[in-house]
Amino acid sequence: MASSSPGESSTPSYRPQEHHLVRSLTLLDVIMVGIAAMIGGSIFVLTGPAIGLAGSAVIIAFIVNATITLFTAMAYAELGSAMPEAGGGYLWVREGLPRPNAFISGWMAWFAHIVAGSLYAVSFASFLNGLLLQLNLFKGVGSEGTLLILGIIPLDKVIAIASVAAFTYVNFKGTSETGKTGDIVTVIQLGLIFALIGAGLWTMHANPGWTMNFSDFMPMGIAGVVAAMGLTFIAFEGYEVIVQTGEEVKNPKRNIPRAIFISLSAVVVLYCLIAFVSIGAIFPEGGIASWKFIGDQGELGISAAAELIIPYGAFIVLGGGMISTLAALNATTFSSARVAFAMGRHYNLPHKFSAIHPKNKTPYIAILLSGLIMAVMASGLPLDQIAIAAGVIFLLLFTQVNLAAINIRRIYGDKLDYGFKTPFFPVIPIIGIFLKIGLAIYLLVTEPLSWVITIVWVAIGFAVYRVYIFRKELEHYAPTVTSEGALERKAFRILILYTPENPDRLIKFAIRVAKENNGEVDVLRVITVPEQTPLSAGIAFADSAKRAYKPLEETLDKEGITNHYLARISHDATEAILATIEEQHIDLLLADFETLRTNKKLQTLATCDALCVKRADENVQLEAVSRMAGSSDYIQARNPIYGQQQPQVNTTLRNENNNKKKRLVVLFDRGEHSDIVLRTTRWIEHSGLFTVTILSINKGHDEHAEGKKDPTHRNHLHQTHHLGIDGVEYNEIYLSKETESSIENLTMLIQSTINAAQPDLLIIGASIAKYSFLNDPHLLHLMEHLECPIIVAKSYSIPVIGRMKLLLNRVTRR
């Protein structure tokens, strides 16, 4: 056992240590799962209304929808091949986005899969009810055309519950049985679809005038095509079901990407062919256009067209609809249980959900509970109202997965074994994000109730997470060994990562920041143990952890700083830090530079600003010993950033001691970290021990001005008006396009400028232009050659969103 600073882990933390499923599904099985999920009953039910909206151009709507969904499908193929575990999107959001995104994504996905399964069960019951009515096998008929058993029990409800029970049992019995059942049902489904397509093509071949049916190709214009896309886009999102097989498919690195692309290609072709033959192979009486004839029939449009194409066509469509909904019910029963299983495995649902049947090797508790909820929904809830939220929920999940894909590449790089990698990265997932958000906004306009239901469900989940789930998750992954400190809590909280080798090296920086913000200092010590060692063994370290904290406590108490100490034991130090940041509502993480540099997961997922210090051991004084709070050298002033009472150095005293001050140099580029850079400058300068020189990086295109330092251009530095510091020296540094695009030239320019300023302490943002001081080799080499202590300031921002905000700020400043 050891107490350590978290370094970058060589493998993802998602890998489970228990409760493994069995890999028994083949590529064909998974393709069939995808096809079943994407076709469902939609190919027969939604195609008719879509034709009514777009006419023959519905084919374009299908192709564009498939193209749009391809941007997210590539992210699913990449992550599904590299992280093939049950949970799919939930798993990757857990690995690539900060808390509580993982729980919320799983909470939404589980709900959406269950709702989809309930809808398929109800649709199957409706199809079968309609067939029995046509065959006139039952005499009792309810007021809404529903057959009754014993005159009081709706037959369709009984059928829906029975279908859910049947496929719950199939899933319970084993993954192999589930795959075989899905294969059989999907093959029958495809056979009926091909029969209709074949008959339609034969009819068109026998009637050369069929081309006239497409003469008015886009009768409703672009607006009709967009409306048809909005109606049918969710039909092409079945890859979320495919990736749920990740822990049970053979050779997932190869088979998951293939299954996604093969099933998506096959389904879009089938949708286009059904629309093509339905419009082209019929010639309605009265000269009415075929697309209008189909559209006027609404959800029965394809059935009406089939009746004109092939004998007993309506029965073929009815049978196809029944089989399709059964295939989709089987797929969603499987996927909903896998989401619940994965959440239980990670303590985001009760851990019992991750139990695996000793004989069948299936997550039986997750299956049975998901099936039970599905049956309850199918039996009595207003699914037509709830179901419209499923589309929004899936869109939000897909947005999270695209964001997670960007972060996972950033965190793990080439350490993951990919079977497929998204081309033009990260452009493709960014486009996917905007497309999914755009479609979600479309649903907000057209179906506002869908957003209301989604928001309510997410709010319920967030409350459950805060009240119960997060506590259980923390108890399992990073239990507290000991907790010391004052009962009082401050609004602004600073977290220091304790290192036994040099526990007090960062304390002077923490004290300075705490004084400026009337904040508290929380010290975290993480005791890491091997995976095979139970975390309960950490209780033995309680006494030694308390003793180790005493010197730090005395230092902080002497300075009048409220402080707390936490010692946690964990198999993963990074997870313990991230959990503590959320649990303690940390505003600022203070760490050693190497700790943050070598831990990309901490860089990416920490939900607070961060300061990491290089050469913290250098003798840089941050507090004047003779100036204690309450002496005549201090005046009270309102902090313009946090609105709290803060100590400031008397201006007269500052001027008298200017010749004794050290030089604080700030590299400022108006980038995404500029706000925390300026705040840090304020915190350090208010010690009264530094003069401040701000080196402002400006992206100009005047090659003759490059490298020129001009102290008269203060008006260009709008953000520094909030500093409240007198006597700041401003130097402008202009970059040409050539220098900005060359990291070698940029590094040389920065190094010469900093050396000329002769800093005793340097503050820089975590990145400059598109290059990172935490990761870029050239900038890291530059920092090694600088002799002064360096504070690297990193602001917290959501990936992509932070860059968008920065771009918007730049545009508005113009």
Side-chain angles (χ1 to χ4, degrees):
M1 298 183 187
S3 177
S4 63
S5 296
E8 185 177 18
S9 58
S10 59
T11 58
S13 62
Y14 75 91
R15 297 189 181 279
Q17 302 301 315
E18 58 178 346
H19 299 169
H20 292 274
L21 300 173
V22 178
R23 297 195 181 278
S24 59
L25 297 176
T26 65
L27 174 61
L28 178 62
D29 294 332
V30 183
I31 290 174
M32 291 300 183
V33 167
I35 290 175
M38 291 188 218
I39 289 180
S42 301
I43 197 168
F44 298 114
V45 175
L46 294 183
T47 304
I51 290 173
L53 291 170
S56 305
V58 71
I59 296 172
I60 294 178
F62 289 150
I63 294 172
V64 173
N65 269 342
T67 304
I68 288 174
T69 203
L70 185 62
F71 289 98
T72 299
M74 283 191 277
Y76 268 79
E78 174 177 312
L79 296 175
S81 69
M83 295 180 170
E85 302 288 347
Y90 156 78
L91 172 75
W92 309 325
V93 171
R94 178 181 178 82
E95 199 64 29
L97 292 180
R99 292 178 174 88
N101 279 279
F103 173 79
I104 296 300
S105 69
W107 181 257
M108 291 192 302
W110 189 37
F111 176 77
H113 283 292
I114 287 176
V115 169
S118 302
L119 276 173
Y120 292 132
V122 170
S123 298
F124 169 73
S126 179
F127 277 125
L128 185 55
N129 183 78
L131 178 62
L132 294 175
L133 281 173
Q134 290 189 35
L135 296 176
N136 199 27
L137 296 179
F138 284 77
K139 295 182 178 180
V141 179
S143 58
E144 298 181 0
T146 301
L147 294 171
L148 301 176
I149 299 176
L150 302 177
I152 56 172
I153 304 174
L155 180 62
D156 59 344
K157 299 297 183 184
V158 175
I159 295 172
I161 294 172
S163 62
V164 170
F167 283 100
T168 298
Y169 177 75
V170 169
N171 276 263
F172 169 81
K173 286 297 292 180
T175 303
S176 178
E177 287 79 358
T178 303
K180 291 176 182 177
T181 302
D183 290 350
I184 294 170
V185 175
T186 305
V187 166
I188 297 173
Q189 169 193 35
L190 292 175
L192 294 172
I193 291 173
F194 282 130
L196 180 58
I197 292 172
L201 292 174
W202 179 261
T203 301
M204 293 167 68
H205 176 71
N207 293 273
W210 65 268
T211 55
M212 294 301 296
N213 288 346
F214 296 92
S215 58
D216 188 7
F217 188 74
M218 196 180 295
M220 309 302 289
I222 295 295
V225 175
V226 173
M229 288 171 57
L231 178 67
T232 60
F233 77 90
I234 200 67
F236 300 97
E237 312 290 350
Y239 42 77
E240 164 64 18
V241 177
I242 291 175
V243 297
Q244 298 298 339
T245 68
E247 202 166 327
E248 294 157 281
V249 62
K250 299 174 182 177
N251 193 4
K253 176 183 173 182
R254 166 182 173 271
N255 287 337
I256 285 183
R258 288 189 177 188
I260 288 175
F261 296 127
I262 290 172
S263 59
L264 181 59
S265 301
V267 166
V268 71
V269 169
L270 291 176
Y271 269 87
C272 290
L273 285 175
I274 285 291
F276 180 69
V277 300
S278 297
I279 296 171
I282 65 171
F283 306 90
E285 297 179 356
I288 185 173
S290 57
W291 70 267
K292 184 168 178 51
F293 171 81
I294 295 171
D296 288 344
Q297 305 298 317
E299 295 179 353
L300 299 177
I302 300 301
S303 178
E307 193 68 23
L308 299 177
I309 294 173
I310 187 174
Y312 304 105
F315 282 98
I316 291 176
V317 170
L318 192 61
M322 291 169 58
I323 297 297
S324 297
T325 52
L326 287 179
L329 174 58
N330 181 59
T332 51
T333 302
F334 177 92
S335 60
S336 62
R338 268 53 185 183
V339 174
F341 166 76
M343 293 182 73
R345 168 187 279 170
H346 293 290
Y347 293 84
N348 279 173
L349 285 176
H351 196 54
K352 285 288 186 181
F353 279 48
S354 65
I356 293 178
H357 195 276
K359 179 181 178 182
N360 299 331
K361 303 301 180 184
T362 56
Y364 68 104
I365 292 180
I367 291 172
L368 294 175
L369 186 59
S370 297
L372 178 62
I373 297 173
M374 203 177 291
V376 170
M377 284 190 172
S379 65
L381 295 182
L383 276 178
D384 56 336
Q385 300 296 317
I386 297 175
I388 58 176
V392 176
I393 287 173
F394 276 122
L395 288 173
L396 295 179
L397 174 63
F398 298 149
T399 301
Q400 287 180 303
V401 169
N402 278 305
L403 286 168
I406 296 172
N407 275 354
I408 286 171
R409 280 265 198 116
R410 180 183 301 171
I411 294 169
Y412 296 110
D414 296 328
K415 292 181 179 179
L416 294 176
D417 187 13
Y418 294 97
F420 170 83
K421 294 188 79 172
T422 304
F424 306 109
F425 193 89
V427 175
I428 294 296
I430 290 174
I431 293 174
I433 290 168
F434 282 107
L435 289 173
K436 299 308 178 187
I437 291 175
L439 288 170
I441 293 173
Y442 172 83
L443 283 179
L444 175 62
V445 174
T446 58
E447 297 284 357
L449 183 60
S450 65
W451 272 88
V452 173
I453 296 173
T454 300
I455 291 171
V456 169
W457 181 250
V458 170
I460 293 172
F462 190 77
V464 171
Y465 176 80
R466 281 296 179 190
V467 172
Y468 177 76
I469 295 297
F470 178 61
R471 178 169 54 84
K472 287 295 182 182
E473 188 181 20
L474 201 59
E475 287 174 0
H476 175 76
Y477 287 108
T480 302
V481 174
T482 185
S483 177
E484 299 287 327
L487 295 177
E488 179 190 9
R489 301 305 301 265
K490 298 288 187 177
F492 189 88
R493 301 176 185 180
I494 305 154
L495 181 67
I496 295 182
L497 304 183
Y498 178 95
T499 54
E501 303 82 19
N502 197 345
D504 60 348
R505 64 182 307 179
L506 298 173
I507 202 69
K508 59 185 176 182
F509 296 94
I511 290 172
R512 178 90 293 273
V513 176
K515 286 184 176 181
E516 278 298 306
N517 295 282
N518 188 26
E520 69 179 40
V521 174
D522 298 334
V523 180
L524 173 66
R525 180 178 183 179
V526 180
I527 302 166
T528 55
V529 297
E531 290 287 349
Q532 63 270 21
T533 304
L535 296 182
S536 58
I539 193 66
F541 289 85
D543 291 337
S544 61
K546 289 180 182 180
R547 290 194 299 271
Y549 175 58
K550 287 301 179 183
L552 290 180
E553 184 181 26
E554 291 173 0
T555 301
L556 291 167
D557 288 343
K558 182 179 179 181
E559 293 290 338
I561 304 297
T562 302
N563 58 90
H564 303 88
Y565 176 66
L566 284 172
R568 295 191 187 278
I569 186 165
S570 179
H571 298 305
D572 186 335
T574 304
E575 281 296 317
I577 295 170
L578 294 173
T580 302
I581 289 173
E582 182 179 358
E583 180 198 38
Q584 299 296 321
H585 306 291
I586 299 299
D587 297 284
L588 182 71
L589 173 66
L590 190 56
D592 182 77
F593 176 77
E594 287 302 312
T595 297
L596 199 61
R597 183 190 71 80
T598 57
N599 194 324
K600 291 185 178 180
K601 187 170 184 178
L602 186 59
Q603 291 178 34
T604 306
L605 302 186
T607 54
C608 65
D609 295 336
L611 298 181
C612 56
V613 185
K614 189 173 181 64
R615 300 188 188 92
D617 291 329
E618 296 288 336
N619 187 23
V620 174
Q621 187 176 341
L622 298 180
E623 300 296 328
V625 176
S626 61
R627 298 172 185 155
M628 300 302 294
S631 74
S632 60
D633 292 338
Y634 277 81
I635 60 174
Q636 292 296 321
R638 178 69 61 176
N639 185 329
I641 296 178
Y642 292 103
Q644 296 166 344
Q645 293 293 326
Q646 306 298 336
Q648 288 188 322
V649 178
N650 185 283
T651 304
T652 302
L653 184 62
R654 172 190 285 133
N655 294 333
E656 291 175 354
N657 294 329
N658 271 342
N659 60 332
K660 300 178 182 178
K661 292 182 178 181
K662 299 288 187 180
R663 184 183 291 269
L664 173 63
V665 176
V666 181
L667 192 65
F668 179 81
D669 74 335
R670 298 197 190 97
E672 60 182 307
H673 309 290
S674 59
D675 182 61
I676 183 64
V677 166
L678 293 178
R679 283 186 283 141
T680 305
T681 302
R682 177 187 177 85
W683 298 335
I684 300 299
E685 193 277 341
H686 275 188
S687 67
L689 302 177
F690 293 91
T691 60
V692 178
T693 299
I694 294 182
L695 307 178
S696 175
I697 306 293
N698 287 304
K699 298 178 181 179
H701 307 304
D702 181 2
E703 295 182 0
H704 299 289
E706 182 173 320
K708 178 182 177 183
K709 294 184 280 187
D710 184 359
T712 66
H713 285 78
R714 300 186 185 187
N715 291 333
H716 292 290
L717 220 55
H718 300 293
Q719 294 186 54
T720 58
H721 292 172
H722 299 292
L723 282 174
I725 302 172
D726 296 327
V728 177
E729 179 184 347
Y730 297 92
N731 291 327
E732 298 272 343
I733 305 170
Y734 295 94
L735 301 184
S736 66
K737 287 183 177 179
E738 180 181 358
T739 301
E740 186 180 350
S741 61
S742 169
I743 182 58
E744 293 86 358
N745 293 340
L746 179 62
T747 303
M748 291 176 60
L749 177 61
I750 292 173
Q751 183 172 8
S752 62
T753 306
I754 292 175
N755 286 337
Q758 297 181 329
D760 295 298
L761 177 63
L762 177 65
I763 298 176
I764 57 179
S767 63
I768 182 169
K770 59 183 178 181
Y771 308 106
S772 171
F773 278 101
L774 293 168
N775 302 310
D776 186 88
H778 295 85
L779 296 180
L780 290 171
H781 184 71
L782 162 66
M783 295 176 70
E784 288 298 326
H785 283 76
L786 296 175
E787 297 180 356
C788 65
I790 304 170
I791 299 176
V792 180
K794 183 182 182 302
S795 67
Y796 166 66
S797 63
I798 301 173
V800 180
I801 304 299
R803 295 297 178 92
M804 288 174 56
K805 181 181 177 181
L806 176 61
L807 180 62
L808 181 62
N809 288 339
R810 288 177 176 173
V811 171
T812 54
R813 280 203 299 265
R814 293 176 184 173

